[in-house]
Amino acid sequence: MSNLFPTYSRWEIEPDWAEGSFLYGKDGNKYLDFTSGIGVCNLGHRPKVVEEAVQEQLKKFWHVSNLFPVENQEVAAGKLAAAAEMDVVFFANSGAEANEAAIKLARKATGRKKIITFYQSFHGRTFATMSATGQEKIKQGFGPMLETFTYVPYNDLQALKSEMSDEVAAVMLEVIQGEGGIHPASEEFLKGVESLCKQYGSLFIIDEIQTGIGRTGKPFAFQHYGLKPDIVSVAKGLGSGFPIGAIIGKSNLENVLSPGSHGTTFGGNPIAVASAIATMNTIFQESFQTEVQEKANFLKNTLEEKLLELPNVKEIRGIGFMIGIEVNGNVPDILKSLRSGGLIALSAGEKVIRLLPPLTSTKEELDAGIGIIQSVLKKYIRSAV
């Protein structure tokens, strides 16, 4: 009997060690990891630059609390703000905590309560972030949610217009809906949301928990469209596996979260922040982003070339290293077969295989992964005949 709550449906692979794009199981097998720890290990497993930064900080101090000024928090905040072309940062421990802070900041800054989000969105599992999430299955069994959230269809500007008013504190969205099935927003929709927020004095919150820190080939996904959000939330890829999240805000929001209005014991922990600095030093280099964009084009083009001809593949969508393959078939069974073939991937919704390879993956590794996917999907065609 396990002493753990049965919160997760565990896979059959127990990790032994990992490096780069590969995870090695206690079963003696080697697996290409196209999950990156669910979009976390953007530099692959155990990147040397992060390992060295963490070891250096371990020799100094691990935790002192946020009652002290901590130099590496300022360094990390400066890098985040500069990359986002924004101004101020609050550090948390996770994506859910970052989104919680974004929601609190928006309500306190505007003095309004209503926040609009979108069907099939995912923003976290605290009560506020569950309430923000546009998926009923996330909320089942937990009783009433917060009443101040309204949901409209994603990519539907007219639906959003019908809900906008001077009572709306914020509109909150993902540039690419991740858990909802890898659905990118259109440029017209995103710019329309930004315009409506300005018109009604509402804040524009972009959830970059999964899309941020280089995942789409730019530091943040919103930068593909020239958007200027008021608040951006980040986590997952920020710390290369160490628990850290953050919100980034514009300068006019700086004094809203005054001393005592919000806080966290562990947010901005020196070890996590050291890992974030090392991660950003690599990913935010223009040459690194250019290379990711080139490899992402290779990934998408090769997937389309090899998979779209298959009758059980409906669509391939996404940006950068965040790709969804919509299929006709039992996705959990397909994912298990992929693991048997040496590739670890994820689901996103009921019919989508989600690929989140490390940004450091080579073209050879990407091609090998695509070959495994092609082979498995071909077998499912034959078994269905």
Side-chain angles (χ1 to χ4, degrees), residues 57-69:
Q57 183 60 46
L58 281 169
K59 296 173 184 176
K60 297 178 180 178
F61 54 90
W62 301 0
H63 176 81
V64 291
S65 89
N66 285 310
L67 296 175
F68 295 86

Side-chain angles (χ1 to χ4, degrees), residues 209-227:
I209 303 302
Q210 192 164 155
T211 54
I213 319 300
R215 174 57 51 185
T216 66
K218 287 187 179 289
F220 305 96
F222 73 82
Q223 292 172 324
H224 289 281
Y225 307 99
L227 303 173

Side-chain angles (χ1 to χ4, degrees), residues 202-363:
S202 307
L203 297 183
F204 186 18
I205 304 174
I206 296 185
D207 177 340
E208 291 262 8
I209 303 302
Q210 192 164 155
T211 54
I213 319 300
R215 174 57 51 185
T216 66
K218 287 187 179 289
F220 305 96
F222 73 82
Q223 292 172 324
H224 289 281
Y225 307 99
L227 303 173
K228 300 292 183 183
D230 298 288
I231 304 169
V232 173
S233 58
V234 294
K236 287 187 181 293
L238 180 57
S240 289
F242 288 85
I244 186 169
I247 55 169
I248 317 164
K250 288 184 174 178
S251 59
N252 61 301
L253 299 172
E254 180 177 0
N255 295 318
V256 176
L257 295 182
S258 55
S261 63
H262 191 56
T264 163
T265 297
F266 294 109
N269 171 270
I271 305 301
V273 169
S275 70
I277 292 170
T279 300
M280 289 188 284
N281 281 344
T282 300
I283 291 177
F284 290 165
Q285 291 181 43
E286 189 173 344
S287 59
F288 184 89
Q289 294 162 38
T290 300
E291 187 177 338
V292 170
Q293 291 170 14
E294 180 189 341
K295 290 188 293 186
N297 289 334
F298 170 82
L299 173 63
K300 187 101 177 274
N301 292 339
T302 308
L303 283 167
E304 290 174 347
E305 177 187 334
K306 294 188 176 182
L307 301 186
L308 283 180
E309 64 183 18
L310 303 179
N312 54 348
V313 175
K314 183 177 178 182
E315 187 180 11
I316 297 170
R317 54 183 179 259
I319 303 173
F321 274 38
M322 185 174 178
I323 301 293
I325 305 167
E326 187 170 345
V327 298
N328 295 317
N330 186 302
V331 169
D333 286 350
I334 292 171
L335 293 178
K336 188 170 184 179
S337 295
L338 290 175
R339 294 194 295 272
S340 295
L343 176 73
I344 306 172
L346 297 160
S347 62
E350 295 181 359
K351 294 293 182 182
V352 177
I353 300 167
R354 178 174 27 160
L355 305 180
L356 300 170
L359 308 182
T360 50
S361 299
T362 65
K363 287 184 178 179

Side-chain angles (χ1 to χ4, degrees), residues 116-230:
I116 300 175
T117 65
F118 297 87
Y119 290 118
Q120 300 309 310
S121 61
F122 181 82
H123 297 292
R125 295 183 184 272
T126 65
F127 260 94
T129 57
M130 272 198 303
S131 300
T133 293
Q135 298 186 55
E136 284 304 312
K137 66 181 182 180
I138 301 297
K139 310 169 189 180
Q140 290 175 1
F142 294 105
M145 296 290 109
L146 298 185
E147 298 177 356
T148 56
F149 289 89
T150 299
Y151 318 100
V152 298
Y154 191 64
N155 266 331
D156 188 336
L157 201 56
Q158 286 302 125
L160 178 61
K161 284 180 181 178
S162 68
E163 287 291 342
M164 290 298 293
S165 71
D166 58 9
E167 295 180 355
V168 174
V171 178
M172 183 177 190
L173 58 74
E174 303 155 273
V175 175
I176 306 170
Q177 288 190 330
E179 301 292 329
I182 312 297
H183 294 287
S186 70
E187 183 171 2
E188 179 185 7
F189 172 71
L190 291 169
K191 289 186 173 177
V193 174
E194 183 177 52
S195 177
L196 285 169
C197 286
K198 288 179 180 176
Q199 179 182 340
Y200 287 95
S202 307
L203 297 183
F204 186 18
I205 304 174
I206 296 185
D207 177 340
E208 291 262 8
I209 303 302
Q210 192 164 155
T211 54
I213 319 300
R215 174 57 51 185
T216 66
K218 287 187 179 289
F220 305 96
F222 73 82
Q223 292 172 324
H224 289 281
Y225 307 99
L227 303 173
K228 300 292 183 183
D230 298 288

